[in-house]
Amino acid sequence: MGRFGAGQAMRRVEDQRFLTGQGRYTDDITYPNSAHLAVLRSPYAHAEITALDVTEARAAPGVIAVLTEADLTERKIADLPVGFMVTSGDGTPMAAPPRPALARGRVRYVGQPVVAVIAETPNAARDALELIEVAFDPLDAVGDLTAATAEGAPVLWESEAPGNILYDWEMGEREATDAAFARAARVVSIELVNGRIAPTSIEGRAAQARVDETGRLELITGNQGAHNLRDVIAGKVLNIPKDQLHVLCPDVGGGFGMKIFLYPEHILVLLGAMVTQRPVKWAADRSESFQADVHGRDHLTRAELALDADGRYLALRVDTLANMGAYVSHFGAFIPTAAGTGMLPGVYAIPALHARVRGVMTNTAPTDAYRGAGRPEAAYVIERLTDKVARELGFSPAEIRRRNFIPPEAMPYSTAGGKVYDSGEFAAVLDTALARADWDGFDKRKADSAAKGLLRGRGLSYYVEVCAGGAPETATLVMDETGGATILIGTQSNGQGHETAYTQMAADALGLPPERITVVQGDTDRIATGGGTGGSRSIPVGGAALDKANDALIAKALPIAAELLETAEGDISLDGGIFRMRSGNRTVTWTDVARAAHAKDGDLTAAGTWRPDTGSFPNGCHICEVEIDPETGSLRIDRYTIVDDVGVTLNPTLLKGQVIGGTVQGIGQALREKVIYDPETAQLLTGTLQDYALARADDFPAFDFSTRNVPCTTNPLGVKGAGEAGTIGATPTLVNAAFDALWDLGVRRLDMPLTPSHLWRTIQDAKSV
């Protein structure tokens, strides 16, 4: 293994650019003669639009155009499509409500786009919004799942979602599950709230469009897959050939699932460019982001485990209400159903499963994928429930898990959720985590905390997720005449470090210095195909494709090197970027080979494609200890241990950054974050960073992170994916720890977020019983 091989902690190559202000994000790019777009958004959660007058706005200084829903109709621009439809348990197909880019007759959530103004400057566009006259006839609204499913609740979509139920989906074996519950020695149940989350990426959404010199449309926007976005816009909305839309993605300051999707603003800047024949630019402010970005999570769940007399799991039954929002986002129906439900059994040998998910429409922003996309929700259910089983049956959190783990000798193991785990040594990972966390020393630390008047608790969870499946990925290597290599690939970095990972792989395989390698992503003209970034797929799928491309380029170069060295191809070896004769001491370099190839064929290019047959299953154990001040409700995380199985570690620095970053996001949900709408008016109450609390650096301890890897057998690199792992394990761990700290006070239910006020009220309620 060379200095850039798997397991080497190569420094991030993109950081020099970012740290010196050379990053280039969408809002950093402004075409000459660019106009600016601003959006008038609904102040009502539910209302009929009875009149609309844009006359004064059109006449305002600097205004170039005003766009309404009539312009969409005139240009035959279709509604935003839904990318995944589900079928209810009774066979009824889901009917997706229509979602135009600008409101058509009625608004259904605060922040829904109604009118767009295009002007010479951002301020002129915003000022003109004040001149638009809209008459709204307010309607009753529902702001959360409880209100939306109450008898007599206002209905958003009479035809598509009667009673606000969009679908009633099931998976698993109902009869086998019912039979297992009938013979169970014990049944343990739990009710859980998984609150709504605003992704809150550091870079807000932005988009810029123009009609280029050839008449093609061009869209620049931070996203998680330029090809997917192009295909949806061209094929489903504008109904134009794909080659007539060029999508570019510059640097992206965080995505977390939220930037995968088509939004109304993408369509509006494109329409604006067509109408004005000028470049049109839009960038969200933070208030717009809270109102109009897709949100994540937002579930109410009841789960039950059937157990035998020895505490072994027999069956799992889960019933979830999932908030879709006012419209169905692209993968909105997929996330609470097919994306995560199959992972409900977790790492446990559960013979039978039946899950029911009802998609509920509310007067709130649409929901969709947020880091982990269904798998964190599943892990939260089974790991909170497993801890409750341990308490009710008198087991330790570690013992109940050991008793029910799928053993390594059972691999490959087919779960009741329809997944096939290829590898995993769950008990060994658990034991490693327990030792690193000093599990046996907890009682002394608890006594020390008590002496200070603090309540100490510990929490444990063991997650498994499925990722890195789905669409194929192709990597293309292009070597120039000087021997420098360019990697063209259709994944999309949002800050994960793809440039470093791909550079490291190519440098190791080809023997080139990293500075001789360039990575290109996010350009549908230069890159033929791309599956984008989501589901932790970039390194397991994109990396596997690059591995094949590396081999293909070497295979293409060997006969050229042999010809230059006047020897047989089998007499050549590649070592450290040098082609050497085994039978002599003559050598040539990549530069020599590249020049010869360009002189003969005009280029030196090779490609590799990897199509995963199935996903991979990263897993790991999180252990956390917290202290809670009963007088104030403040919670401090004292210790946090993570042991992960990611198959193979490519770059430990990147891996640690991804896992700890994901863990911080999961803890943020557990401690601070929750989007809140008024349940009766559906007005957004957490519309700024003064109201929506993000976790801060001083909320966290130093994390003890390590790996105990078991290579994946279904991936050519052996890797399992890690981009979402930390988020999946963190939330149940933190809540289990806080619950443990409060157990002796009589607390028997605890939901996120664990803010000081929430914990203080919980403590006071327990004391008053």
Side-chain angles (χ1 to χ4, degrees), residues 236-368:
K236 302 289 187 181
V237 178
L238 300 183
N239 293 307
I240 60 175
K242 289 190 294 186
D243 63 5
Q244 291 303 298
L245 176 61
H246 180 198
V247 176
L248 289 156
C249 180
D251 290 323
V252 183
F256 315 123
M258 177 266 291
K259 289 180 183 171
I260 294 173
F261 315 110
L262 173 65
Y263 284 89
E265 294 83 5
H266 293 134
I267 299 170
L268 295 177
V269 293
L270 286 163
L271 174 60
M274 290 188 283
V275 168
T276 66
Q277 291 297 299
R278 289 176 58 175
V280 174
K281 181 177 181 179
W282 167 83
D285 61 30
R286 189 58 68 181
S287 292
E288 283 185 291
S289 295
F290 277 114
Q291 290 182 13
D293 291 353
V294 295
H295 295 158
R297 317 291 193 239
D298 204 348
H299 292 181
L300 297 179
T301 296
R302 176 178 172 81
E304 301 174 285
L305 265 173
L307 301 103
D308 68 15
D310 296 319
R312 289 186 169 83
Y313 298 166
L314 300 175
L316 174 64
R317 184 188 286 143
V318 180
D319 191 343
T320 292
L321 294 176
N323 196 336
M324 297 288 98
Y327 297 88
V328 184
S329 182
H330 197 76
F331 291 131
F334 173 68
I335 301 306
T337 56
T341 304
M343 298 310 299
L344 281 167
V347 290
Y348 309 112
I350 303 177
L353 164 70
H354 182 261
R356 179 189 187 192
V357 181
R358 284 166 285 174
V360 181
M361 307 303 293
T362 64
N363 293 111
T364 62
T367 59
D368 212 310

Side-chain angles (χ1 to χ4, degrees), residues 76-226:
K76 295 182 171 57
I77 294 174
D79 295 343
L80 279 71
V82 173
F84 187 88
M85 305 281 277
V86 304
T87 300
S88 292
D90 63 1
T92 303
M94 184 184 113
R99 185 187 179 193
L102 293 170
R104 184 185 299 134
R106 181 183 290 196
V107 292
R108 289 177 171 84
Y109 67 97
V110 171
Q112 181 172 352
V114 178
V115 179
V117 171
I118 300 169
E120 297 290 351
T121 67
N123 283 341
R126 285 191 284 265
D127 288 345
L129 296 181
E130 303 294 329
L131 303 176
I132 297 171
E133 296 184 13
V134 188
F136 292 102
D137 183 8
L139 303 171
D140 290 339
V142 286
D144 62 21
L145 287 164
T146 301
T149 54
E151 186 175 353
V155 176
L156 278 75
W157 301 97
E158 292 284 356
S159 174
E160 294 86 353
N164 292 321
I165 303 299
L166 180 69
Y167 59 79
D168 189 343
W169 180 87
E170 297 182 48
M171 77 162 294
E173 299 181 9
R174 180 192 291 269
E175 291 184 2
T177 302
D178 290 346
F181 271 85
R183 69 175 185 273
R186 188 74 177 266
V187 173
V188 177
S189 64
I190 194 168
E191 293 185 354
L192 299 168
V193 176
N194 202 317
R196 178 177 283 234
I197 299 299
T200 328
S201 57
I202 194 167
E203 179 210 20
R205 288 190 297 112
Q208 186 167 188
R210 68 168 182 157
V211 181
D212 72 14
E213 300 79 7
T214 69
R216 297 170 73 217
L217 287 167
E218 181 176 282
L219 175 66
I220 300 175
T221 186
N223 60 76
Q224 293 180 230

